[in-house]
Amino acid sequence: MSEQQAAPAGGPKVKKFMFVNRKAPYGTIYALESLEVVLITATFDQDVSLVFIDDGVYELVKGQQTKGIGIKNFSPSYRALDGYDVEKLYVDQASLAQRGLTEKDLLVPVEVLDAEQMGQLMAQQDVILSF
Amino acid sequence: MLHIVNKSPFQTSTLDTCLRMAQPGNALLLIEDGIYAATMGSATEERIRACCATLKVYALQPDMDARGVTAKLIDGVTLVDYGGFVDLTVEHPTSHSWL
């Protein structure tokens, strides 16, 4: 059943969902909440993209060790996303540069985009959820 | 597409990032504390005036009224009421409520 491509009228409709992550991981609950909603959305076979902008890029930094703050380290979950067919991860170039980070500091493969490419990608979505 | 910003430009980088990514022809709606960006004499005045050239910029009047700054509205920015807010979300196929 290829309901992803040509869903019959009244059948399941695939929408383009973009999750915009702009917060660092442990200071607030946004990053974790976003990840949970992403996994739920993926379960419904939707077209999911994640973008990481501003402090959101810190969510993907390798080597997070949270034992000392008593909060679960959820960063390994980003590596599990491709198991849910979530493979579109985009990172804002300027946000990385401003924080002294490069792609090599990140724990998953991503596509690095400039602001214009990011803006164009946003405009192509059906639904944008901001965290 | 429609960008909606509800944070003061003096509190967060949200407006900056939004303006960096907004494409010519997009619309920007300032609501809640976001409306302070559209006031004359603020440090954001230049930026808002400049982006009026490529974006359609709106501010939610009830939020400006509530904060006592409606008279300071930068010209080029269009005031809308709640009905106008709804119209904007209908006119634009994609809305992004920046957080």
Side-chain angles (χ1 to χ4, degrees):
Chain A
M1 295 245 279
S2 63
E3 57 190 25
Q4 294 239 356
Q5 297 307 318
K13 187 167 188 275
V14 176
K15 287 193 175 186
K16 290 169 78 74
F17 282 80
M18 173 183 275
F19 294 87
V20 180
N21 300 284
R22 294 184 52 246
K23 307 282 195 294
Y26 302 107
T28 65
I29 198 73
Y30 289 98
L32 178 57
E33 291 288 313
S34 170
L35 194 53
E36 295 198 349
V37 181
V38 164
L39 293 174
I40 292 165
T41 310
T43 304
F44 286 92
D45 293 328
Q46 299 299 301
D47 179 340
V48 175
S49 302
L50 274 71
V51 306
F52 298 86
I53 304 170
D54 295 332
D55 281 353
V57 300
Y58 286 133
E59 296 176 22
L60 298 181
V61 170
K62 274 182 200 162
Q64 299 178 29
Q65 303 281 351
T66 60
K67 199 172 278 178
I69 59 171
I71 300 176
K72 185 181 158 63
N73 176 6
F74 57 86
S75 67
S77 306
Y78 295 106
R79 275 196 241 116
L81 286 173
D82 67 347
Y84 293 82
D85 291 327
V86 175
E87 286 154 349
K88 298 176 188 168
L89 274 64
Y90 305 96
V91 172
D92 174 44
Q93 166 68 58
S95 302
L96 281 179
Q98 196 180 13
R99 288 163 181 79
L101 299 172
T102 68
E103 241 178 297
K104 288 191 186 123
D105 296 304
L106 306 182
L107 51 79
V108 277
V110 298
E111 194 172 335
V112 178
L113 302 182
D114 65 25
E116 174 156 2
Q117 292 170 315
M118 200 64 97
Q120 287 168 354
L121 196 63
M122 271 176 201
Q124 295 164 8
Q125 305 300 313
D126 295 308
V127 180
I128 301 178
L129 295 171
S130 200
F131 290 90
Chain B
M1 82 171 278
L2 173 66
H3 301 270
I4 303 168
V5 172
N6 74 338
K7 297 289 190 291
S8 162
F10 308 107
Q11 193 78 35
T12 71
S13 61
T14 305
L15 182 68
D16 284 331
T17 302
C18 169
L19 292 182
R20 208 152 54 75
M21 296 183 177
Q23 301 291 294
N26 287 176
L28 167 67
L29 171 62
L30 300 166
I31 65 169
E32 300 168 18
D33 290 346
I35 59 95
Y36 290 117
T39 56
M40 281 188 292
S42 73
T44 50
E45 180 173 352
E46 284 293 300
R47 248 178 306 153
I48 292 294
R49 282 192 191 282
C51 77
C52 282
T54 54
L55 307 177
K56 281 173 244 158
V57 185
Y58 303 90
L60 192 66
Q61 179 159 7
D63 285 327
M64 296 208 70
D65 290 347
R67 290 161 181 78
V69 293
T70 316
K72 289 178 182 291
L73 182 75
I74 293 169
D75 42 278
V77 178
T78 306
L79 288 175
V80 291
D81 58 12
Y82 289 111
F85 187 162
V86 174
D87 290 341
L88 285 172
T89 63
V90 174
E91 284 165 24
H92 296 272
T94 305
S95 297
H96 182 183
S97 291
W98 289 78
L99 203 65

